[in-house]
Amino acid sequence: MFSAVHGRTARKRGALRLATATAVSGLVAAGAIAGAGAAVADTPDQQGQGGATATLQGLEPGSSAYAVITGDNGNKEQVSAGLFRMNVDGGGTLRTYCIDIHNPTQREAQYRETPWSGTSLANNKDAGKIRWILENSYPQKNDLGQLAKDAGVTGKLSNGEAAAATQVAIWRYSDHVKVEAVDKDAQTLADWLFNNAKVVEEPKASLTLDGASVAGKAGQKLGPVTVHTNADKVTVTPSQELQAAGVKIVDKAGKTVSSAANNSQLFFDVPAGAQPGSGSLRLSATTQVPVGRAFASDSKSQTQILAGSSDSTVNAEAKVTWAKQGAIPAVSVKKDCAKGGVDITVTNKGDEAFPVTVGGKTIATVPAGGSKSVLFPVAEDQKYDFTIAGQHFSGVLDCKTAGTGPAPSSKPSPASAGGSSTGTNGGTNLAETGSSSATPMIAGAAVVLVLLGGGAVFFLRKRKTAGQ
């Protein structure tokens, strides 16, 4: 099923959002490239942590109603609360609720399935209660008559009222704000959901990989890459680089495979005579994404949580590097909101030590045959961008919901790069009034200047000219 979530109170991101693709407090860096062959193409952060990627379409018609947020100063803000709809890349539809009330949405923002550890839920002891609400309310429970009866609602609930009530209950746990539904029956349902919620564990990913970055010497089976999925069948496709080098994808017994299932172990069988090189393996499947999975956007559009899924396309990718001698590193990176940074893990399958270099500084040295993990600190709302062993990692650490910024929005604001917009307090339609840091974080991209004053927050967005 789905959920919609929008605007946030006039208290926005407290951290100054300042990001550029060329230098951000030393986070933009060229890492050491191992002498293990050709560089691997750009790699998204959360390597191996695949799943669905989707584009935000906006609120689902008929599945929202009004709620009122009361700020610490007693000021009240009326906002829409309900279900969002997303279109999945490759096919499928998702419905989501917001877990980021202080951050606006952006029209057609790109989202990807993300572990709770990479979102504000990592530091939220009530995260499991949000999943309970999702499982026990609209649209998972679409018999609204029975839902009203369970919650002690005397009147009838519409789809919009049920969605608003669900969103209100979620906001109380995700953002710990004072918020109530305008409709009294919706408020009764919101209170019932909030008061009865129990802690439920995080759902498993629709498709994810263990050991998604491997390395070793030519002439060996490199791996394993272990597949975890709720799909019945996963298609396995080697990259052109692997095919050209004669690298085969095999199972534990050495048999060539073109598909996998849950708990399958895959290996890269590299010919003994292969020249040093690298490549990737793409895994794809069609399945329903589990309710409660988080969806995050590097363009700073508000974080969402899944309320329902159609059959949808999910993907994951594994990387491999091989050589005959020298350092042969396998690198993986993932966001860690609990620690405030990104975890960099390097395993060196070569016969020489490998220096892990970020921002011109060696942050660790991995001995031959060894493995090390190191936390690379990143400030809230800040972009990181670095290359290690020929693999490019970039993203934005978005771990908090509190802050300062424009008023909540019931509609997505533009997420396209370029142009400018101005946010004003008191407005609730960010499609007209603008948004906070709406420019997507892409190479060569944007500087966002935040100006605070007079109780109003203005966000100016502009794209850097080419060549900067």
Side-chain angles (χ1 to χ4, degrees):
M1 317 309 281
F2 311 0
S3 83
V5 133
H6 355 16
R8 300 311 146 206
T9 62
R11 297 191 296 291
K12 249 8 188 150
R13 303 263 169 206
L16 180 67
R17 293 173 180 168
L18 186 61
T20 96
T22 54
V24 182
S25 299
L27 297 183
V28 178
I33 298 179
V40 179
D42 283 5
T43 304
D45 72 328
Q46 310 288 89
Q47 184 175 334
Q49 298 177 7
T53 57
T55 302
L56 182 69
Q57 300 302 303
L59 286 171
E60 182 172 276
S63 291
S64 66
Y66 287 109
V68 174
I69 303 169
T70 302
D72 294 339
N73 57 5
N75 289 344
K76 296 182 181 295
E77 182 90 37
Q78 181 170 287
V79 298
S80 293
L83 281 168
F84 269 129
R85 179 181 290 268
M86 295 187 189
N87 288 345
V88 178
D89 299 342
T93 304
L94 307 177
R95 301 166 81 186
T96 60
Y97 286 106
C98 169
I99 53 170
D100 193 4
I101 196 169
H102 297 293
N103 202 28
T105 57
Q106 296 164 19
R107 182 179 299 122
E108 297 186 353
Q110 301 295 306
Y111 282 80
R112 62 182 167 211
E113 187 177 341
T114 303
W116 287 5
S117 60
T119 72
S120 59
L121 296 179
N123 299 309
N124 189 337
K125 62 181 179 60
D126 294 319
K129 293 182 179 181
I130 296 173
R131 187 185 177 193
W132 186 94
I133 292 170
L134 293 166
E135 296 280 9
N136 289 275
S137 190
Y138 180 78
Q140 288 297 314
K141 303 294 184 182
N142 55 14
D143 183 342
L144 298 186
Q146 185 60 52
L147 183 60
K149 183 178 179 180
D150 292 342
V153 174
T154 56
K156 291 183 178 180
L157 288 170
S158 67
N159 289 351
E161 290 161 354
T166 307
Q167 179 63 89
V168 165
I170 289 172
W171 276 338
R172 291 177 180 178
Y173 282 125
S174 66
D175 296 79
H176 300 102
V177 293
K178 185 177 180 180
V179 56
E180 295 183 341
V182 170
D183 179 82
K184 67 179 182 62
D185 290 333
Q187 181 56 37
T188 299
L189 174 57
D191 287 340
W192 179 79
L193 292 169
F194 178 78
N195 292 328
N196 286 276
K198 300 173 180 62
V199 174
V200 183
E201 67 179 9
E202 178 180 4
K204 297 184 183 302
S206 59
L207 176 61
T208 188
L209 307 175
D210 287 342
S213 180
V214 300
K217 293 188 176 182
Q220 300 178 349
K221 282 196 312 179
L222 307 182
V225 176
T226 304
V227 180
H228 299 289
T229 184
N230 63 350
D232 294 330
K233 179 182 178 180
V234 179
T235 300
V236 175
T237 306
S239 66
Q240 292 183 353
E241 291 83 359
L242 296 185
Q243 297 179 49
V247 178
K248 296 180 180 179
I249 309 304
V250 300
D251 60 16
K252 192 173 184 179
K255 181 181 178 180
T256 301
V257 297
S258 58
S259 64
N262 187 41
N263 293 324
S264 291
Q265 289 190 325
L266 305 176
F267 297 81
F268 298 91
D269 190 355
V270 183
Q275 294 298 310
S278 60
S280 62
L281 178 65
R282 186 170 182 83
L283 295 92
S284 301
T286 299
T287 187
Q288 291 189 6
V289 183
V291 169
R293 292 296 291 171
F295 279 78
S297 172
D298 280 347
S299 67
K300 304 303 298 175
S301 189
Q302 62 187 207
T303 305
Q304 307 277 313
I305 194 163
L306 188 68
S309 166
S310 69
D311 286 344
S312 299
T313 300
V314 296
N315 298 288
E317 187 177 56
K319 301 282 189 179
V320 62
T321 300
W322 65 90
K324 298 178 180 179
Q325 61 185 12
I328 313 176
V331 185
S332 63
V333 168
K334 66 177 181 179
K335 296 177 185 177
D336 191 333
C337 284
K339 297 178 182 177
V342 292
D343 287 317
I344 301 173
T345 300
V346 179
T347 301
N348 182 6
K349 292 294 187 178
D351 48 28
E352 294 180 5
F354 177 75
V356 182
T357 304
V358 178
K361 296 181 180 180
T362 298
I363 60 175
T365 298
V366 185
S371 180
K372 283 189 178 181
S373 293
V374 59
L375 177 72
F376 188 71
V378 181
E380 175 68 9
D381 288 339
Q382 198 163 59
K383 182 184 175 84
Y384 59 90
D385 192 323
F386 53 81
T387 299
I388 301 175
Q391 295 189 41
H392 180 210
F393 302 93
S394 65
V396 175
L397 200 70
D398 185 9
C399 298
K400 298 179 181 179
T401 60
T404 58
S409 169
S410 60
K411 297 181 181 179
S413 59
S416 57
S420 63
S421 59
T422 303
T424 60
N425 61 348
T428 59
N429 184 353
L430 290 183
E432 297 175 359
T433 63
S435 68
S436 166
S437 188
T439 306
M441 301 297 183
I442 56 178
V447 174
V448 180
L449 300 177
V450 181
L451 305 177
L452 303 177
V457 181
F458 296 89
F459 288 79
L460 302 179
R461 244 183 330 121
K462 70 178 182 178
R463 190 186 184 103
K464 285 189 175 182
T465 58
Q468 278 188 299

